[in-house]
Amino acid sequence: MTKSVLKSSLFCATTGILALSACAQTNNPTSNNPDQYLSQYHWNLQSAINQNNQTLPVFYAGQAQPKVTLNFQEGRYNLHGSCNRMMGSYTASNNTFAGGALASTNMGCPQALMQQDGTLAQFFSEQKVAYKISQQNVPTLTFTNAKGEKLVFVGTPTADTRYGSKPETVFLAVSHQTRACSDGVSRDRQCLQVKEIRYAENGVKTHEDKQWSNFYGNIEGYTHRNDTDTVLRLKRYTIENPPADASKYAYVLDMMVSQALVK
């Protein structure tokens, strides 16, 4: 059996791997600190129109629904279109969003996807645009630039918002193999095989479990592959008053640290 390491599309320094995520935020937007509200949601692009209410096809990249996600955290914003990830700093006050210069990953994609990336960068990078937050039915965030072009995003709560607690950061190695679960309501399904890994602050591995063990829960955002061994950085949330037959923890994928294709 041989293994070949798959190159990650994003490089992350050791300090980034070990960094903890921010705590859950408060529930109400304020004009003085909109980041406190914006960071509670993953913002998904719903529509893009010009000043005449006509659709702007470039933002859709050939899709019926545009695939663009916008996230905020502690003065940083992250854009993910259909191809590359872009990130930069920002400030927001008096209903004006000032986006800093965007850095980007450098993946090659079909032309329509690259055009979407470029247009998103032109809209936000080193630009000042008006923004409006609406909380009717679902959270909505609308940006309007000097040309009158509007990008309308809808919000879905982040894990921090949904679980309402500060997460721990844990690392798990996940095997390409699964095994039948052995207890309770889980015995009729396959369980992931995992090992806990711990690192020192300098990134040096200090511990790895010797044996694989059954993982009975789910990892939000992770899709298992039976040909790939992985190491995952996870956010682990403590659930208040979980059902008697359920775990007291919820796990959310934070980053894929490494992947190894098993042949």
Side-chain angles (χ1 to χ4, degrees):
M1 181 180 292
T2 61
K3 295 185 179 181
S4 58
V5 176
L6 303 179
K7 184 178 180 181
S8 172
S9 61
L10 285 172
F11 172 78
C12 182
T14 299
T15 54
I17 291 176
L18 297 176
L20 292 176
S21 298
C23 303
Q25 306 291 339
T26 59
N27 290 323
N28 297 314
T30 66
S31 58
N32 294 328
N33 188 12
D35 182 69
Q36 199 170 35
Y37 176 78
L38 295 177
S39 61
Q40 290 184 19
Y41 297 92
H42 301 297
W43 298 96
N44 303 295
L45 184 61
Q46 182 182 56
S47 65
I49 57 175
N50 64 17
Q51 60 183 348
N52 298 316
N53 291 323
Q54 298 170 322
T55 298
L56 294 168
V58 68
F59 287 98
Y60 289 72
Q63 303 292 321
Q65 186 66 32
K67 295 182 179 179
V68 178
T69 302
L70 176 61
N71 290 296
F72 301 91
Q73 189 173 29
E74 297 180 343
R76 305 283 300 174
Y77 71 116
N78 184 306
L79 273 168
H80 187 198
S82 302
C83 183
N84 283 287
R85 293 181 180 274
M86 295 173 278
M87 62 290 293
S89 61
Y90 80 95
T91 59
S93 62
N94 299 320
N95 297 112
T96 299
F97 176 92
L102 284 167
S104 176
T105 56
N106 194 28
M107 296 174 59
C109 297
Q111 184 178 7
L113 308 188
M114 299 296 287
Q115 288 178 336
Q116 182 194 58
D117 280 357
T119 307
L120 284 167
Q122 289 175 3
F123 193 98
F124 287 103
S125 184
E126 298 185 287
Q127 300 294 321
K128 290 186 177 181
V129 295
Y131 76 92
K132 180 181 178 180
I133 295 172
S134 172
Q135 296 184 86
Q136 298 177 2
N137 298 324
V138 295
T140 303
L141 175 62
T142 302
F143 294 97
T144 306
N145 66 11
K147 298 179 183 178
E149 297 171 334
K150 291 185 178 181
L151 302 184
V152 180
F153 293 79
V154 294
T156 58
T158 65
D160 284 11
T161 302
R162 285 185 283 115
Y163 295 113
S165 62
K166 182 178 179 179
E168 301 174 85
T169 295
V170 297
F171 295 83
L172 290 181
V174 182
S175 172
H176 66 286
Q177 295 180 317
T178 60
R179 292 180 182 173
C181 299
S182 57
D183 69 339
V185 295
S186 299
R187 71 176 54 169
D188 294 328
R189 69 179 181 89
Q190 293 291 305
C191 273
L192 296 177
Q193 298 300 294
V194 303
K195 292 181 180 179
E196 183 182 357
I197 298 175
R198 293 194 289 270
Y199 297 92
E201 290 185 1
N202 61 3
V204 175
K205 184 191 296 185
T206 59
H207 171 81
E208 180 174 343
D209 290 349
K210 294 182 179 180
Q211 296 182 339
W212 297 102
S213 60
N214 285 348
F215 183 84
Y216 292 100
N218 296 304
I219 300 175
E220 182 180 328
Y222 171 69
T223 301
H224 181 260
R225 292 180 53 178
N226 61 11
D227 63 353
T228 305
D229 289 338
T230 60
V231 175
L232 309 178
R233 186 178 74 185
L234 305 175
K235 291 182 177 181
R236 185 171 71 184
Y237 297 85
T238 300
I239 300 174
E240 294 185 9
N241 304 316
D245 58 351
S247 171
K248 67 176 183 178
Y249 296 119
Y251 293 84
V252 178
L253 177 64
D254 191 27
M255 193 185 74
M256 192 87 68
V257 177
S258 67
Q259 302 178 77
L261 185 64
V262 179
K263 296 182 178 179

